[in-house]
Amino acid sequence: MNFDFSDEQKQMRDAARKFLAEKCPPKAVREVLDGKAPYDKALWKGLAEMGFLGVAIPEEFGGAGAGHLELCVIAEEMGRANAPVPFSSTVYLAAEALLLAGSGAQKQKWLPKIASGEAIGTLALFEGKGNPSPKAIKLQASGGTLNGVKKPVPDGAIADFAVVAARTGSTGRDSDISLFLVDLKAGGVETKSLTNVDPTRGQAELTFKNAKAEPLGAAGDGWSILTQVLDRAAVLLAFEQVGGSDRALEMGRDYALDRIAFGRPIGSFQAVKHILADMYVSATLARSNCYYGAWALSTNASELPEAAAAARISATQAFQHCSKNNIQVHGGMGFTWEFDCHMYYRRANATALTLGSLSYWEDQLIDRMRKKNAA
Amino acid sequence: MNFDDTPQEAAFRAEARAWIQANAPKQYEEELRKSSLGRTVLKGANILEVAKAWQKKKADAGWACLHWPKEYGGRGASPIERVIWQQEEGPFGKLSGMFIIGHGMCGPTMMAFAGEEQKRKYLPPLASGEKVWCQLFSEPAGGSDVAGLRTRAEKKGDDWIINGQKIWTSGAHYSDYGILLTRTDPTVPKHKGLTMFFLDMKSPGVEVRPIKQASGQSDFNEVYFTDVVIPDSQRLGAVNDGWNVSLTTLMNERMSIGAGVSTGFPELFDFCNSLMLEEGPAIEDRSVRSRLANYAVKASGLRYTSMRAISALSKGERPGPENSIGKLVAGSMVQEVAMYALDLQGAAGVLSGPEDAEVAGKFQAMLLRAPGTRVEGGTDEIMRNIIAERVLGLPGDIRVDKDVPFNQIPTKGR
Ligand SMILES: Cc1cc2nc3c(=O)[nH]c(=O)nc-3n(C[C@H](O)[C@H](O)[C@H](O)COP(=O)(O)OP(=O)(O)OC[C@H]3O[C@@H](n4cnc5c(N)ncnc54)[C@H](O)[C@@H]3O)c2cc1C
């Protein structure tokens, strides 16, 4: 047993941290937050040059072929830096769907473009409120075209292509759902940016009007592929959430050491110390659950569904807990636009909802534990 | 990152499993499996005897105190081998409860501070469970603030004369030896006038009075010392350096990681799986699932946190204060879990008799034991202080008694 990242993986983490500290300071995040750009293009290009976009993409498709443990390490740093780029939608959702279900030609067409930063991808799953469910998918596929509306779609307004979940049957079973690949620049899709709680990560509405689409994976396999994609993305996003939790904790701690009240640093008051200790506890539990998720993801273990749900829940809780209490520790300053606390608070709460909400994953976890227990 | 045994680990596991299969007291397996934290009752058997017999058997075959050096009754095993052993020992591990303080704290303190001859004399029977040890630190005046203790030790020739009182001493009523923290100089600030000893609990002048606990059981005691004589050769560490010695003891408490703190989650999960509510099985209820999921990720988070600690340990890193999170999280969780399991039973949750209570009153027992778990070995507040100060580097609490001679510190709040 060895329950830790290797020295090489840690070196990669250090490299990513250093790179992001330089190329993605809070000032850069604010450019996007303030609406000056839909995402940080320069950073995106830099990430491609560093090889981070294709870290888990096999070499034959233009990636570094390093693997998913390495991707977890990068994900944590993306979260820590609050990077305003379409990393999660392109790398965790679109690329993973292609890797899992794409044909040779599809992989050959899109994966090298992802790795090089030329193409942004996303997953168009939701249609209004609710959590992932085959029943909620109404968008129709017929004769190689799609009709319907998807929202919210992460990074939908800047994406070049989307993996789209569509209805191809009416039996009431999961096999009614199939996945399609749509080139969003080829016409037939209208995109509209939607305002959302975290402007550093765009959300969009996509309206499909006889949009040309090619099947991704076998007809009727859509739901089963989606479930796997969501599980994989859940682990990766959980690492982003852990990175964000740690950063929020660090910000709170640093402030508590500097700010003086009643003649003492506020960090010497036990009430404040205990808030920070509890932040540490939640971030640590989440990190440990994530490590298990990383192991399951990288080895494709049968434990992945359960591990992914646990990582997702734990990391969602930790990021929400740490980001809200970071503001509390900062007092009134924490509630100003000028301080960075709200950027993490926004990201925490937006991320908590992007792959299905906390309560959805809670439900999933218990379902999966029950199945394992019964088996 | 991997969970697979290395070939050596696999061999160790196979050997341990085979030995346990052949030697464990199987007749108690089911009862042990079902027993809740803090209350293991074996029908028709004295638990102390069963526990001692199992420990002796392990020691004779080289499976006791795995990480201790061989010459002191251990096996020199790696941290990971310890975990493998615990996994394989399963419910029989619950029989080690009465040895935890001796093995986890007293033994390592002896190893660090006793003379070589003493170590060879006292440690092997401690490892084998033939002799049980207790830890005599806390006093009415000094629990969280251990250094506030008042039990006096006065030098007389080659001996020390002890007078005073300890409290909450777990297992003192069946212990053979104890490590004892005393005050040897009340005229200096409190941390500077303490000295540590070990003593024979059967010494004249030692009186042990069991205390009935809030749970109704009596696992801990008051211990009174009246002119008890301890030879200077049983002093651990230098005179007035007892605070540092006790820190070694408390640090070692954290070494007991991997022992895996109980959270109550597996019990709650099984319970919800089988409990029928008006609407159907409890586990199919949305609100139940949400609560369960919250507890599940805490329990797994703790499990993997301790695996990370063990991985670090096996690379030669020292266990740090970050390991305080185990007891902090598990302590209050076990209390919540018990309350929730009773809540699910509605009015009948109040019944605690083995026949009337669901799952034989396991959760009622857990409920009544839980408050102690959040206090013993450092309260939740002290654990949070440790994390805040030693992990996060925040300033220490303001100590108004720091530079004050001990005998001038006020003793009453109002
Ligand atoms: C089941 C059980 C078994 C035990 N076994 C042993 C044993 O074998 N040997 C032994 O020596 N002792 C033993 N103890 C004693 C135990 O270590 C003490 O009870 C514990 O350290 C707390 O001390 P106290 O009881 O004096 O509480 P106090 O220190 O009086 O605490 C009262 C309250 O004040 C809070 N408090 C105190 N100081 C601070 C602070 N600095 N900051 C914030 N809050 C603070 C505490 O958190 C608590 O809420 C046992 C206790 C129990 C419950």
Side-chain angles (χ1 to χ4, degrees):
Chain A
M1 185 195 83
N2 175 25
F3 202 42
D4 196 4
F5 287 102
S6 68
D7 289 343
E8 292 75 46
Q9 286 153 356
K10 287 178 186 165
Q11 274 161 18
M12 189 169 215
R13 166 156 58 202
D14 294 345
R17 185 170 301 186
K18 191 157 159 268
F19 172 81
L20 285 161
E22 198 180 309
K23 303 287 189 220
C24 184
K27 198 163 73 72
V29 184
R30 279 175 183 274
E31 295 276 305
V32 178
L33 178 68
D34 291 333
K36 296 195 184 102
Y39 71 105
D40 187 337
K41 277 192 181 146
L43 176 61
W44 191 243
K45 205 165 151 258
L47 289 167
E49 282 160 9
M50 290 293 286
F52 293 158
L53 298 181
V55 74
I57 293 175
E59 280 167 282
E60 52 174 320
F61 301 119
H68 283 86
L69 286 178
E70 284 72 8
L71 183 52
C72 289
V73 160
I74 306 291
E76 182 180 334
E77 296 309 316
M78 297 298 285
R80 163 179 270 275
N82 218 350
V85 285
F87 194 75
S88 55
S89 36
T90 304
V91 178
Y92 313 158
L93 292 168
E96 288 299 320
L98 280 162
L99 283 170
L100 272 171
S103 66
Q106 287 169 332
K107 288 182 187 165
Q108 205 49 263
K109 177 171 179 196
W110 291 110
L111 290 175
K113 285 190 181 160
I114 290 178
S116 66
E118 286 164 77
I120 292 170
T122 187
L123 172 72
L125 167 60
F126 298 105
E127 300 181 15
K129 63 176 178 268
N131 277 310
S133 136
K135 281 199 202 78
I137 296 171
K138 307 272 192 272
L139 183 135
Q140 276 291 337
S142 63
T145 61
L146 304 183
N147 281 288
V149 180
K150 290 283 182 185
K151 82 167 175 187
V153 180
D155 302 306
I158 54 171
D160 298 288
F161 72 99
V163 174
V164 185
R167 180 160 293 277
T168 45
S170 52
T171 63
R173 280 192 285 261
D174 291 359
S175 57
D176 290 345
I177 307 303
S178 305
L179 292 186
F180 293 88
L181 211 50
V182 178
D183 185 339
L184 298 176
K185 300 282 142 86
V189 186
E190 283 169 19
T191 64
K192 187 174 110 193
S193 282
L194 305 174
T195 50
N196 86 88
V197 295
D198 178 17
T200 66
R201 301 286 293 106
Q203 298 287 346
E205 178 181 277
L206 303 192
T207 306
F208 295 80
K209 290 182 180 157
N210 294 320
K212 282 222 170 55
E214 50 180 272
L216 179 72
D221 278 357
W223 191 252
S224 123
I225 301 165
L226 266 174
T227 315
Q228 295 173 63
V229 171
L230 290 178
D231 283 351
R232 301 172 79 78
V235 174
L236 295 163
L237 204 57
F239 269 93
E240 284 201 8
Q241 292 170 302
V242 161
S245 307
D246 261 13
R247 182 65 198 124
L249 168 60
E250 226 171 68
M251 288 164 75
R253 186 196 87 120
D254 290 350
Y255 192 77
L257 286 170
D258 279 344
R259 168 75 172 166
I260 304 280
F262 300 95
R264 296 156 58 177
I266 55 167
S268 70
F269 293 112
Q270 222 179 54
V272 174
K273 277 157 71 167
H274 288 192
I275 293 180
L276 290 162
D278 285 340
M279 287 161 73
Y280 172 82
V281 168
S282 66
T284 300
L285 295 179
R287 176 177 294 280
S288 300
N289 276 309
C290 280
Y291 279 27
Y292 186 60
W295 166 78
L297 173 63
S298 67
T299 58
N300 227 337
S302 61
E303 287 89 345
L304 177 60
E306 189 187 325
R312 168 77 180 162
I313 295 166
S314 190
T316 296
Q317 289 175 338
F319 199 11
Q320 288 183 321
H321 181 86
C322 289
S323 63
K324 80 177 182 199
N325 283 308
N326 180 34
I327 298 182
Q328 185 65 20
V329 168
H330 276 76
M333 284 302 179
F335 196 58
T336 62
W337 185 265
E338 198 169 325
F339 270 61
D340 295 334
C341 305
H342 67 102
M343 301 201 293
Y344 285 87
Y345 185 61
R346 288 166 186 282
R347 180 64 70 85
N349 288 292
T351 312
L353 302 167
T354 48
L355 292 180
S357 66
L358 184 58
S359 46
Y360 166 77
W361 285 98
E362 288 173 351
D363 205 44
Q364 292 289 311
L365 176 64
I366 298 305
D367 242 0
R368 294 164 182 196
M369 291 182 75
R370 257 186 111 186
K371 285 205 185 96
K372 192 187 74 181
N373 241 38
Chain B
M1 189 164 316
N2 72 69
F3 282 104
D4 303 333
D5 289 341
T6 62
Q8 296 100 299
E9 287 161 8
F12 179 87
R13 187 186 294 282
E15 201 194 330
R17 181 175 299 176
W19 189 83
I20 290 164
Q21 270 296 329
N23 293 284
K26 289 264 182 42
Q27 64 273 36
Y28 304 119
E29 183 166 3
E30 206 40 42
E31 265 177 296
L32 286 169
R33 200 179 291 284
K34 282 192 191 144
S35 72
S36 86
L37 308 133
R39 190 170 76 175
T40 310
V41 184
L42 302 180
K43 273 196 211 88
N46 178 334
I47 175 109
L48 292 187
E49 281 165 19
V50 176
K52 282 192 162 195
W54 175 228
Q55 189 65 26
K56 179 79 172 68
K57 224 177 193 183
K58 289 197 284 188
D60 289 345
W63 295 106
C65 293
L66 297 173
H67 61 303
W68 287 15
K70 281 206 182 77
E71 60 270 33
Y72 305 140
R75 188 189 182 90
S78 73
I80 290 175
E81 286 173 338
R82 258 177 101 186
V83 174
I84 293 174
W85 170 265
Q86 276 154 6
Q87 289 169 346
E88 295 300 323
E89 192 179 15
F92 301 109
K94 290 188 185 173
L95 288 171
S96 313
M98 65 184 293
F99 305 119
I100 286 176
I101 290 175
H103 290 164
M105 291 170 242
C106 305
T109 308
M110 289 291 284
M111 253 177 259
F113 293 98
E116 188 56 35
E117 214 174 297
Q118 290 172 326
K119 291 192 232 182
R120 289 182 189 265
K121 174 171 172 200
Y122 291 101
L123 290 173
L126 166 56
S128 66
E130 285 158 90
K131 300 291 179 194
V132 178
W133 286 59
C134 62
Q135 182 191 2
L136 300 145
F137 283 18
S138 301
E139 295 187 16
S144 302
D145 183 11
V146 185
L149 60 83
R150 317 192 140 260
T151 294
R152 291 290 309 266
E154 281 153 320
K155 190 85 194 286
K156 196 175 157 197
D158 277 345
D159 295 330
W160 292 84
I161 311 297
I162 317 291
N163 280 287
Q165 182 206 346
K166 296 285 168 182
I167 193 170
W168 307 303
T169 317
S170 300
H173 52 305
Y174 52 74
S175 287
D176 303 284
Y177 297 97
I179 54 172
L180 173 70
L181 193 57
T182 62
R183 181 161 310 278
T184 35
D185 188 352
T187 67
V188 293
K190 62 181 184 182
H191 291 101
K192 296 184 175 147
L194 302 173
T195 303
M196 182 86 87
F197 299 94
F198 70 92
L199 88 159
D200 184 338
M201 289 295 284
K202 307 290 182 303
S203 307
V206 177
E207 189 199 339
V208 176
R209 295 187 200 154
I211 308 175
K212 188 165 183 179
Q213 295 159 193
S215 60
Q217 294 171 262
S218 297
D219 301 319
F220 60 34
N221 307 267
E222 289 178 297
V223 183
Y224 291 85
F225 299 91
T226 318
D227 294 331
V228 175
V229 178
I230 300 183
D232 188 55
S233 59
Q234 290 182 195
R235 175 164 46 79
L236 297 170
V239 173
N240 290 338
D241 197 34
W243 182 247
N244 281 324
V245 181
S246 74
L247 287 182
T248 305
T249 315
L250 299 174
M251 282 293 279
N252 273 293
E253 198 172 351
R254 282 197 286 275
M255 284 263 215
S256 317
I257 45 153
V261 265
S262 295
T263 59
F265 176 73
E267 290 88 345
L268 183 68
F269 185 81
D270 288 348
F271 181 59
C272 292
N273 231 336
S274 62
L275 180 73
M276 289 300 287
L277 302 176
E278 294 97 286
E279 314 292 324
I283 200 161
E284 281 169 19
D285 182 279
R286 257 199 101 87
S287 76
V288 172
R289 290 161 80 90
S290 169
R291 284 289 281 263
L292 271 182
N294 274 288
Y295 293 135
V297 302
K298 276 193 189 173
S300 59
L302 282 185
R303 189 161 63 244
Y304 304 129
T305 298
S306 84
M307 286 199 185
R308 286 171 55 208
I310 289 154
S311 294
L313 214 55
S314 61
K315 285 182 204 153
E317 291 168 33
R318 285 192 67 68
E322 61 278 6
N323 294 310
S324 302
I325 91 166
K327 202 187 89 80
L328 175 60
V329 174
S332 53
M333 181 167 153
V334 91
Q335 193 165 35
E336 282 182 33
V337 160
M339 288 175 176
Y340 187 54
L342 300 191
D343 179 80
L344 285 171
Q345 297 169 40
V350 77
L351 303 176
S352 61
E355 291 79 31
D356 300 316
E358 294 270 353
V359 290
K362 185 183 229 168
F363 292 108
Q364 286 84 352
M366 214 186 256
L367 177 84
L368 294 178
R369 178 60 177 80
T373 308
R374 294 181 58 196
V375 170
E376 67 192 335
T379 62
D380 287 2
E381 292 68 37
I382 298 297
M383 293 296 145
R384 287 196 173 89
N385 277 358
I386 291 177
I387 291 171
E389 293 169 18
R390 299 203 221 139
V391 182
L392 301 178
L394 292 161
D397 281 3
I398 288 177
R399 299 184 195 279
V400 292
D401 60 357
K402 197 168 171 244
D403 299 316
V404 182
F406 178 73
N407 53 14
Q408 288 170 33
I409 297 171
T411 54
K412 267 276 179 219
R414 48 170 192 144

